[in-house]
Amino acid sequence: MSKSTPKICSESFLQGAFDVLAIDEQMQHLIRSPHREISFEIPITLGDGSLRVFSGYRIQHDHSRGPFKGGLRYHPDVNREHFEGLAQLMTWKTALVDIPFGGAKGGINCDPRQLSDRELELLTKKLTQRLECVIGPDVDILAPDVGTNPKTMAWIYDAYSLVHGLEPAVVTAKPIQLGGSQGRTAATGRGVALVTSWAADMEGIELEGATVAIQGFGNVGRFAAKFLSDYGATIVAVSDSKGGLYNEDGLNTASLFEAAEKTDRRTSLYDLKVDGQKLDNEALLSLDVDILIPAAMENAITDENAKDVNARMIVEAANVPITCKATNILADSGIPVIPDILANAGGVIVSYLEWVQNRQRYRWDEERVNHELEATLRRAWDAVLERKQKESNTYREAAYLIAVERVKEAIEMRGF
């Protein structure tokens, strides 16, 4: 993480839950502290013969409710502190949706767009060699995140199996041919769309014809756009790291989705032949729309641009896309925010379902997977809504109260 990148913001949300739940200082310290922190260096010889040394990390935050679970990120702006915040966030997410996992996060400070597939495979298999003694189906289960994908998981599966035998459950979101689950690729975006539909109904927004802007058009943003369009919403703007496209009458989401699916990770939205005028990411965030969905990186909405947000509702498809100060500004503006630990939990739910299938050595059809995803996410939504209405707080505050309470109870029941 570069020095200019804001710290992952969840501490104030966590402290708020501690205060309401009257958790004592020692328990607060225990809940915050990572169980294990791992850092290492990975040297590889690039295709041109030069030597590069990359830094890698894995933060295993909490396993009181089950094995550590969390993504593997390849991005130049990451470090140990960055992953500490994201690992903790995964703990609250798995607790909120009530699946038997804890939280972890890790990755390598590299830019995968600057590496060939062969170089990425070598880097990934060396990472697995560094971690194989502290990961596994009952210890720590990895999944894709920014800069990684099912192919990355296949490489980890292969490298891990050379030492431990065939263990498909060591990673999730694998290719279908290697034990991946039906519906996993679309799961996070599907979950975002489901939660958005329930929240829109609660906030008095008619989803049929509602205008939606989505910042980030990777896997999550693409599928969220697809499913929301299927629900009748009008996707007026989407963007990637290089900029976005806008059409006040609605983008052709089907064409955009199809074109994006056929391109590689180095292709920009600007290169896709879809009708729409260009706009930058800052302009997208300030569009006058019904629903704004930040689905890119952390800290997209800050205290500097929060006052320019004109959406009626925000749904956090990315992890921590809103800084703490911006959260307060949006609250003062009366803009409801559906928190990341609920909105984007579809991915980890189906990762859990994939893990279950791998342990059973049995594959479910996509209809069953999608049914289980929706049922699990709906229970979490109902729990948040009930807590919010009971205690007159925000969606985020209600979500954190539920998650922290469940982790605390698990720690106390297991003992010290």
Side-chain angles (χ1 to χ4, degrees):
M1 182 170 61
S2 65
K3 292 182 180 180
S4 61
T5 304
K7 183 179 179 181
I8 295 297
C9 173
S10 61
E11 175 57 32
S12 66
F13 309 146
L14 183 60
Q15 188 60 53
F18 286 158
D19 293 342
V20 172
L21 296 171
I23 297 177
D24 66 52
E25 186 176 339
Q26 289 302 307
M27 179 59 78
Q28 289 184 32
H29 178 71
L30 181 60
I31 290 174
R32 282 193 182 96
S33 301
H35 174 82
R36 183 186 289 124
E37 300 184 355
I38 306 153
S39 61
F40 46 88
E41 305 299 319
I42 303 177
I44 67 168
T45 302
L46 301 181
D48 63 4
S50 64
L51 174 68
R52 284 283 301 278
V53 181
F54 298 94
S55 296
Y57 309 90
R58 187 67 178 173
I59 308 299
Q60 297 172 330
H61 175 250
D62 182 84
H63 65 164
S64 60
R65 304 182 73 255
F68 302 107
K69 182 76 179 79
L72 183 70
R73 177 173 295 196
Y74 288 180
H75 193 274
D77 292 336
V78 294
N79 67 9
R80 181 182 57 79
E81 182 185 62
H82 188 82
F83 286 129
E84 281 183 3
L86 292 172
Q88 190 182 106
L89 197 72
M90 182 59 76
T91 296
W92 314 136
K93 189 181 302 183
T94 56
L96 177 62
V97 298
D98 203 17
I99 56 177
F101 285 147
K105 205 77 168 187
I108 300 173
N109 67 339
C110 70
D111 185 348
R113 295 171 298 183
Q114 302 302 316
L115 300 173
S116 69
D117 274 1
R118 180 58 187 149
E119 291 165 340
L120 285 170
E121 179 181 353
L122 180 60
L123 186 64
T124 300
K125 291 188 172 180
K126 286 206 168 189
L127 173 140
T128 309
Q129 292 171 6
R130 297 288 195 275
L131 292 179
E132 56 87 14
C133 60
V134 291
I135 63 175
D138 293 312
V139 182
D140 186 354
I141 303 110
L142 284 68
D145 196 86
V146 175
T148 56
N149 53 37
K151 184 185 291 185
T152 317
M153 298 302 105
W155 292 331
I156 296 171
Y157 173 31
D158 177 68
Y160 184 84
S161 296
L162 291 176
V163 179
H164 297 275
L166 292 178
E167 287 287 359
V170 68
V171 289
T172 57
K174 302 177 292 296
I176 293 292
Q177 301 92 323
L178 297 179
S181 175
Q182 300 287 346
R184 176 58 184 90
T185 301
T188 308
R190 182 184 295 276
V192 169
L194 286 168
V195 172
T196 300
S197 68
W198 301 331
D201 183 59
M202 184 55 54
E203 294 298 325
I205 299 173
E206 178 63 46
L207 195 58
E208 181 75 33
T211 53
V212 180
I214 302 177
Q215 185 199 46
F217 208 64
N219 182 65
V220 178
R222 285 204 297 272
F223 278 102
K226 177 183 184 299
F227 293 123
L228 285 169
S229 182
D230 290 344
Y231 294 163
T234 301
I235 312 300
V236 297
V238 297
S239 70
D240 60 18
S241 60
K242 297 178 182 178
L245 296 170
Y246 172 72
N247 187 326
E248 64 177 358
D249 296 321
L251 295 165
N252 187 327
T253 309
S255 297
L256 194 60
F257 181 89
E258 182 179 358
E261 287 286 288
K262 290 180 179 178
T263 60
D264 63 27
R265 63 180 182 269
R266 298 173 178 83
T267 302
S268 166
L269 276 172
Y270 290 161
D271 300 321
L272 306 181
K273 306 303 181 183
V274 177
D275 289 338
Q277 65 187 66
K278 294 182 178 181
L279 83 167
D280 60 34
N281 276 289
E282 284 298 311
L284 182 144
L285 294 174
S286 63
L287 289 174
D288 185 4
V289 292
D290 294 309
I291 301 167
L292 172 63
I293 302 180
M297 294 292 288
E298 297 88 14
N299 305 311
I301 301 176
T302 68
D303 56 325
E304 294 180 356
N305 61 15
K307 62 182 180 301
D308 298 322
V309 172
N310 287 307
R312 294 173 61 189
M313 181 177 75
I314 297 174
V315 179
E316 295 183 331
N319 288 323
V320 205
I322 303 175
T323 66
C324 291
K325 288 183 179 179
T327 297
N328 295 330
I329 294 171
L330 295 170
D332 291 341
S333 299
I335 301 174
V337 176
I338 311 303
D340 46 7
I341 61 173
L342 175 62
N344 68 25
V348 74
I349 291 171
V350 177
S351 279
Y352 165 63
L353 299 177
E354 179 178 332
W355 179 82
V356 170
Q357 293 170 78
N358 291 160
R359 304 312 296 270
Q360 294 177 339
R361 294 296 198 267
Y362 186 78
R363 176 172 289 155
W364 304 347
D365 61 30
E366 188 169 357
E367 183 179 359
R368 179 177 178 183
V369 172
N370 291 339
H371 171 77
E372 295 287 347
L373 162 61
E374 182 169 352
T376 303
L377 201 54
R378 182 72 202 204
R379 285 192 293 270
W381 165 258
D382 289 343
V384 168
L385 193 59
E386 180 181 0
R387 194 74 175 247
K388 176 181 181 294
Q389 293 172 338
K390 180 181 178 181
E391 303 192 22
S392 299
N393 49 26
T394 67
Y395 291 105
R396 192 189 309 279
E397 289 165 345
Y400 268 79
L401 285 173
I402 294 168
V404 172
E405 194 169 53
R406 286 175 176 169
V407 172
K408 172 180 176 290
E409 289 173 351
I411 292 172
E412 291 174 335
M413 285 187 283
R414 293 184 63 158
F416 307 98

